[in-house]
């Protein structure tokens, strides 16, 4: 039996799998309406979690789940910037 451990879990809005919060990256919409990756996990605002890979990002955006989670559309330039940042994350 697996011991119950207090690891916070979040759902990726791309593949919809529950994962440890640490393995996911947060996309946040700030109170000012700016959407960006939150690599520190500490930015204020409405957040959504996603696996750090482009497949999940694409699924999340195509399925409109990221937009729904943030209650906002993702502007093309924001998506381009998020894509670049995810590409820069080394695969573990
Ligand atoms: Zn995922």
């Amino acid at each position: 039996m697996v011991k119950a451990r207090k690891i916070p879990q979040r759902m990726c809005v791309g593949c919809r799998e529950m994962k440890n919060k640490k393995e996911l990256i947060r996309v946040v919409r700030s109170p000012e309406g700016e959407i960006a990756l939150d690599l520190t996990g500490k930015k204020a605002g409405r957040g959504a979690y996603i696996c750090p890979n482009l497949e999940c990002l694409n699924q999340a955006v195509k399925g409109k789940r990221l937009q729904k989670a943030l209650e906002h559309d993702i502007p093309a330039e924001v998506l381009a910037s998020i894509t670049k940042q995810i590409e820069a994350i080394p695969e573990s």
Side-chain angles (χ1 to χ4, degrees):
M1 215 179 110
V2 182
K3 270 190 197 173
R5 285 199 290 169
K6 285 180 186 169
I7 296 172
Q9 295 222 314
R10 293 291 183 275
M11 192 183 74
C12 166
V13 290
C15 60
R16 289 189 272 187
E17 278 181 40
M18 294 297 292
K19 300 216 173 180
N20 293 347
K21 202 175 151 187
K22 274 186 185 171
E23 293 173 28
L24 300 170
I25 46 172
R26 189 169 178 250
V27 184
V28 71
R29 177 166 64 89
S30 73
E32 292 77 38
E34 192 198 348
I35 295 168
L37 275 193
D38 175 18
L39 297 172
T40 64
K42 286 173 185 165
K43 281 188 193 171
R46 196 177 174 84
Y49 289 86
I50 191 169
C51 305
N53 65 60
L54 295 179
E55 206 176 306
C56 285
L57 176 66
N58 287 336
Q59 280 189 48
V61 173
K62 273 190 192 160
K64 303 272 181 198
R65 288 192 293 277
L66 187 57
Q67 291 88 326
K68 221 177 173 183
L70 299 176
E71 296 179 340
H72 206 279
D73 276 343
I74 315 292
E77 65 271 23
V78 170
L79 182 60
S81 149
I82 291 175
T83 301
K84 257 191 192 169
Q85 288 179 75
I86 289 180
E87 275 175 340
I89 296 172
E91 279 188 51
S92 53

